[in-house]
Amino acid sequence: IERTIETATKRYPLLLGDGVARVLPSLLRSLSCPPGTKLFIVTDDTVAPLYLDEVRALLAAAEYDVYAYVIPSGEAAKSFDHYYACQTAALQCGLDRRSVIIALGGGVVGDLAGFVAATYMRGIRYIQMPTTLLAHDSAVGGKVAINHPLGKNMIGAFHQPEAVVYDTSFLRTLPERELRSGFAEVIKHALIRDRRFYDWLRAEIKTLADLQGGKLAYCIEKGIDIKASVVREDEKETGVRAHLNFGHTLGHALESELGYGALTHGEAVAVGMLFAVFVSERFYGRSFAEHRLADWFAGYGFPVSLPTTVQTPRLLEKMKGDKKAYAGTVRMVLLFEIGDVEVVELEDDNLLTWLDEFARQGG
Ligand code: NAD
Ligand code: ZN
């Protein structure tokens, strides 16, 4: 499968399928990277033993000058310290403005390596090689960032990749919890834009075990198409791109409040989507035919309520610090109906009441 991702500032190819990593050398040549170009692979210590040698060998055989940098696996690597260490390694390897960074891994590697690429010598090129289901979302659209203890993705840039090379054979080693995490973003894409895809998901993906082969590929393809269509319309998030934040206002607050990595990104977003639906029902004064969304989510093993340890006033504070908030007013993406969302400003006391109700009813 091939797509062209288009934004206001750039067009780039996305290749998706089993074994597409093989096209990397010819892709690089088409990006005018002659043999001898320095390539800096960033990956993590889970992905490295699985796929680094294969990718390195492929590139070395095409006579590229290949370096690799391995970060610890997990959300904690999206930190200023790891960002700085990666820049140091890039300088020590002598990367120059023609060098290309290759992000081989999930969203953490993609976000960190992409932010290094965005800022190294004021910006060099990079290629996304996603290895998780979640990365169907993170590898497309050019948002790159690291976390700050005070908030998720607070330090970052818009920097589009030169290409996305999504070899689905790499997904076979993905643990179930990570498959679940990525599936949350697939569900998000369906909920915000595509009623038919939502119906398909409910009919075809009964359990996580259904996420393989053609069905998994279809989820990735649909997710990417929805993400790409939103980004095409609004690269820098002045409008509809904010819809992609559905479930993320509470989701990000939870990740930051519980400590990065306590919940996977998708688990936090799943709870956040249920809360967004809960708020939508109150805000619009209607109840969804899909009221049983929580049961559907629980069937995949998602958490469907707030952890009992979290304090709702603290969550509200984190939500007010979200990048989408203006002047401390929380702006949440609400679901009017499946496939139809809008951004709504909410008052603190309403939100706190709803957070408390949501916490009490247990999802
Ligand atoms: P991740 O990169 O941490 O990967 C999840 C885990 O799976 C890690 O432990 C990793 O080592 C392991 N792993 C990766 N590929 C594997 C494979 N093929 N086989 C076995 N194990 C493998 O996390 P993620 O879930 O891919 O991404 C989450 C991050 O993405 C979050 O930081 C989130 O904020 C970010 N994100 C960014 C955007 C964006 O637009 N930039 C969008 C959505 C999410
Ligand atoms: Zn997300």
Side-chain angles (χ1 to χ4, degrees):
I1 297 168
E2 267 196 70
R3 290 283 190 281
T4 301
I5 310 293
E6 279 183 85
T7 73
T9 59
K10 197 155 181 171
R11 306 177 85 212
Y12 52 93
L14 177 143
L15 307 169
L16 169 69
D18 253 41
V20 294
R22 279 193 305 268
V23 306
L24 213 49
S26 61
L27 176 77
L28 280 161
R29 282 193 299 275
S30 76
L31 297 172
S32 15
C33 294
T37 303
K38 286 189 180 183
L39 304 177
F40 188 74
I41 305 174
V42 179
T43 187
D44 74 26
D45 60 13
T46 302
V47 178
L50 293 168
Y51 306 112
L52 178 57
D53 284 349
E54 181 181 332
V55 174
R56 197 205 312 251
L58 194 72
L59 296 169
E63 295 182 354
Y64 286 103
D65 191 7
V66 190
Y67 300 84
Y69 183 75
V70 180
I71 61 171
S73 119
E75 186 71 26
K78 270 174 64 173
S79 69
F80 190 80
D81 287 349
H82 285 289
Y83 164 77
Y84 184 74
C86 190
Q87 293 282 10
T88 303
L91 286 164
Q92 283 166 344
C93 294
L95 298 198
D96 58 36
R97 284 205 156 144
R98 293 201 171 162
S99 307
V100 178
I101 293 180
I102 297 180
L104 174 67
V108 165
V109 165
D111 280 11
L112 176 76
F115 186 48
V116 169
T119 46
Y120 184 81
M121 295 188 173
R122 298 203 181 87
I124 62 172
R125 297 177 295 175
Y126 76 114
I127 292 174
Q128 291 274 18
M129 288 191 76
T131 65
T132 63
L133 173 57
L134 189 131
H136 84 273
D137 187 351
S138 57
V140 172
K143 277 193 185 180
V144 294
I146 56 174
N147 300 325
H148 189 282
L150 292 178
K152 171 103 176 149
N153 296 336
M154 282 297 168
I155 300 164
F158 288 100
H159 188 53
Q160 301 291 343
E162 296 304 305
V164 181
V165 179
Y166 207 148
D167 190 329
T168 41
S169 73
F170 292 175
L171 265 57
R172 286 197 196 107
T173 49
L174 205 59
E176 186 183 78
R177 192 171 180 207
E178 299 306 336
L179 205 57
R180 179 185 299 119
S181 179
F183 190 53
E185 304 277 21
V186 174
I187 293 175
K188 175 193 79 178
H189 285 130
L191 285 175
I192 65 167
R193 276 292 185 278
D194 196 327
R195 170 91 222 187
R196 281 184 58 195
F197 182 38
Y198 167 81
D199 289 337
W200 183 89
L201 288 174
R202 291 210 69 151
E204 299 293 330
I205 312 295
K206 297 290 186 199
T207 69
L208 293 181
D210 292 323
L211 285 174
Q212 50 176 308
K215 287 185 181 177
L216 176 61
Y218 185 67
C219 286
I220 294 175
E221 187 187 338
K222 286 295 288 181
I224 286 173
D225 285 346
I226 293 168
K227 171 97 188 231
S229 78
V230 173
V231 171
R232 184 183 311 129
E233 229 182 290
D234 177 21
E235 178 180 14
K236 298 274 166 76
E237 199 170 318
T238 51
V240 292
R241 187 162 184 173
H243 294 175
L244 298 170
N245 210 45
F246 180 66
H248 285 63
T249 313
L250 179 65
H252 281 164
L254 271 175
E255 284 186 270
S256 158
E257 183 60 20
L258 297 173
Y260 296 116
L263 289 180
T264 63
H265 179 67
E267 287 167 344
V269 169
V271 179
M273 289 193 286
L274 292 175
F275 180 64
V277 169
F278 181 91
V279 171
S280 304
E281 289 186 320
R282 272 140 197 84
F283 187 84
Y284 296 117
R286 60 192 293 184
S287 76
F288 284 90
E290 287 72 22
H291 198 67
R292 301 270 119 226
L293 222 49
D295 293 343
W296 183 47
F297 279 24
Y300 301 119
F302 283 114
V304 295
S305 56
L306 289 178
T308 49
T309 51
V310 325
Q311 295 173 354
T312 51
R314 290 183 59 100
L315 281 180
L316 177 62
E317 280 314 304
K318 293 264 161 140
M319 289 164 78
K320 285 159 68 89
D322 189 83
K323 288 191 295 309
K324 276 77 189 171
Y326 294 149
T329 301
V330 176
R331 299 170 74 242
M332 258 180 86
V333 185
L334 298 190
L335 191 65
F336 188 68
E337 57 190 31
I338 296 201
D340 185 359
V341 287
E342 66 175 342
V343 181
V344 169
E345 292 196 358
L346 297 167
E347 283 170 25
D348 291 4
D349 34 358
N350 286 339
L351 264 174
L352 193 57
T353 309
W354 291 330
L355 274 171
D356 285 329
E357 282 176 25
F358 184 70
R360 271 199 304 278
Q361 64 138 36

